Amino acid sequence: MVSFCFRFSHSRQKNHLSHTHTHTHTRIHAYTSAMADERFDSMLLAIAQQQQGIDGILDTFFSFLGRKTDFFTQPEMARSSVQQVMDRYIAIAEAQQRRAKEAEAAQQQKAQAQAQAGHPTSSRVEVLEDDDEVNAAAAAKAAQAAAERKAQLEKAQKAIDEAKAKQDAAEKAKSEAAAAEQPAEQPAEAFAETTADAPRGLPPTVDNGFAYEKYLFSQSLQEAEVRVPLPATNVRGKQLNVVITGNHLTVGMKGQPAIVDGDLYAKVRAEECMWTIEDGNTVVVTLYKQNAMEWWKTIFLGDPEIDLQKVMPENSKLDDLDSDTRQTVEKMMYDQRQKMMGKPTSEEQKKQDMLKKFMEAHPEMDFSNAKFS
């Protein structure tokens, strides 16, 4: 048996693919186990969807071997290796087809025997009824989860509305105090205390997103993930209608109204975006942001927005950024924390320090009646 061993270097040079021959039982067992490994199904499915079919995914794989390995430097051995893999999986497919035909024949014989005994079979009807029951249960479960998310959204929105009403009242009190020529310090302090912690949007999840009625989203600076629960089980790609453009996303079951359909909060690199099916009941869409230095307030324009001042990227994700980008993100995080506490941002603090130095350098000037913005 011919097995292949990739040796990846730590530099940017091409990887080397060596052909080694072995007949040990351990190697054969390891390779057979690897054949059944489904860890890469989602990735390969995404490639197949991007390439529009099996020809595209094969071309992509062989292109990778040609560009990144020395697989084709030994044409005869490469051709032999591919042929062996082809023969193996054709044999597996033929065996599966043979077993399926045998099972179908056995089922037909059983049905004939039941019919002759006066007990007509209804297995096909039962299977269809079971599928309908399972999908109905899945739809009910999805609807219940959506209702719970909707209730949480309405609760959070109510808290925001109440906080805004309180903030408006504080602003009104401040205006009335200023009109009555009361000292400005006390109303300003009261206003700061009232509005410092006032929410400016929905509270983001730990993944910097939110769970809406029909979808859930999370994000990093570079990408956003949208999870759309489906009202069915064991769903396959051919049953779905998923359309991703630079500024629009549609996800739904074919022949049914779209589950989500709207303009995106910002533009994405549509040619790089992908989607997969998770557990047969959830569509997972990965959107790559065109502006990789922007937090999104929501996925679809018009949906309630999250409070970006409470978005906090993980330190582990910051480690993946280059020094300039990380410095920018850390500055943005600092400014968000300062605003949440009602304190000046880094730019505002810099202006205040410059003003303080100027005032110290010019003690002869009177700044008591000066107003600064």
Side-chain angles (χ1 to χ4, degrees):
M1 173 178 288
V2 179
S3 62
F4 307 104
C5 178
F6 284 92
R7 297 197 302 271
F8 290 99
S9 63
H10 292 287
S11 66
R12 292 185 178 272
Q13 297 177 351
K14 278 194 173 183
N15 305 307
H16 297 283
L17 184 65
S18 63
H19 299 259
T20 59
H21 297 265
T22 178
H23 296 279
T24 64
H25 175 74
T26 303
R27 282 271 183 122
I28 294 173
H29 178 72
Y31 190 83
T32 304
S33 299
M35 290 195 308
D37 196 340
E38 298 179 354
R39 290 176 300 167
F40 307 108
D41 282 2
S42 297
M43 178 182 68
L44 294 173
L45 177 61
I47 295 174
Q49 291 164 348
Q50 292 288 325
Q51 295 293 341
Q52 300 298 320
I54 189 64
D55 291 340
I57 195 172
L58 289 175
D59 187 65
T60 298
F61 179 67
F62 282 111
S63 173
F64 166 77
L65 292 179
R67 290 180 292 103
K68 299 297 184 181
T69 75
D70 61 355
F71 180 76
F72 292 111
T73 58
Q74 302 180 57
E76 291 303 321
M77 188 170 290
R79 186 176 291 106
S80 175
S81 299
V82 173
Q83 188 62 50
Q84 287 185 22
V85 176
M86 286 283 295
D87 291 344
R88 183 181 302 114
Y89 281 98
I90 288 175
I92 292 173
E94 289 176 343
Q96 290 175 340
Q97 291 176 354
R98 183 170 59 254
R99 288 194 296 269
K101 289 181 179 178
E102 291 173 353
E104 184 179 357
Q107 184 66 27
Q108 289 177 352
Q109 291 178 357
K110 182 179 178 180
Q112 291 175 358
Q114 289 178 343
Q116 291 174 358
H119 301 287
T121 181
S122 59
S123 58
R124 176 61 178 168
V125 175
E126 290 174 358
V127 169
L128 291 175
E129 290 178 349
D130 288 344
D131 289 343
D132 290 341
E133 290 176 0
V134 169
N135 286 332
K141 183 178 179 180
Q144 181 181 357
E148 292 175 357
R149 292 193 297 270
K150 181 180 180 181
Q152 291 294 326
L153 172 62
E154 292 174 346
K155 182 179 179 181
Q157 193 66 54
K158 182 179 179 182
I160 294 172
D161 294 339
E162 291 176 350
K164 188 175 186 304
K166 188 176 181 181
Q167 180 177 346
D168 292 342
E171 289 178 346
K172 183 178 179 180
K174 180 183 177 183
S175 300
E176 292 175 350
E181 297 182 351
Q182 294 182 6
E185 290 79 357
Q186 293 182 356
E189 290 175 1
F191 174 71
E193 292 176 359
T194 303
T195 62
D197 297 326
R200 295 169 175 80
L202 299 171
T205 61
V206 293
D207 294 322
N208 301 321
F210 198 79
Y212 293 90
E213 178 182 359
K214 295 184 178 180
Y215 70 93
L216 303 85
F217 96 95
S218 58
Q219 65 174 319
S220 64
L221 278 173
Q222 294 82 13
E223 63 186 59
E225 181 181 272
V226 186
R227 306 177 69 85
V228 184
L230 301 173
T233 59
N234 301 320
V235 177
R236 298 185 178 184
K238 62 183 180 181
Q239 297 174 263
L240 296 171
N241 177 38
V242 181
V243 181
I244 307 172
T245 66
N247 59 1
H248 197 94
L249 172 63
T250 301
V251 178
M253 303 280 292
K254 288 184 178 178
Q256 300 180 23
I259 300 173
V260 294
D261 183 21
D263 292 332
L264 296 171
Y265 179 79
K267 290 186 177 181
V268 298
R269 303 194 299 274
E271 67 280 359
E272 299 178 25
C273 298
M274 63 181 66
W275 63 273
T276 60
I277 305 173
E278 185 176 283
D279 299 330
N281 60 11
T282 303
V283 174
V284 182
V285 183
T286 303
L287 302 172
Y288 292 97
K289 301 176 182 177
Q290 192 171 85
N291 181 359
M293 286 296 298
E294 177 185 26
W295 293 109
W296 286 12
K297 294 182 178 181
T298 184
I299 290 295
F300 297 105
L301 291 175
D303 282 355
E305 299 177 346
I306 64 172
D307 186 354
L308 291 185
Q309 293 188 1
K310 296 182 180 179
V311 166
M312 298 294 288
E314 298 177 7
N315 290 332
S316 60
K317 293 180 180 178
L318 290 177
D319 292 338
D320 297 334
L321 303 176
D322 60 73
S323 57
D324 292 339
T325 304
R326 176 168 180 166
Q327 185 177 3
T328 302
V329 174
E330 289 178 338
K331 177 180 178 296
M332 183 170 61
M333 292 167 58
Y334 172 80
D335 290 343
Q336 288 176 352
R337 287 194 295 268
Q338 290 295 97
K339 288 181 178 180
M340 289 173 62
M341 295 184 292
K343 296 181 180 180
T345 63
S346 55
E347 291 295 328
E348 293 170 346
Q349 186 63 52
K350 184 178 180 181
K351 292 179 181 179
Q352 291 181 8
D353 291 342
M354 292 175 61
L355 177 60
K356 183 178 179 181
K357 290 180 180 179
F358 181 80
M359 293 172 66
E360 291 175 350
H362 300 277
E364 73 282 0
M365 298 180 66
D366 182 12
F367 295 93
S368 58
N369 295 321
K371 293 184 179 180
F372 305 99
S373 58

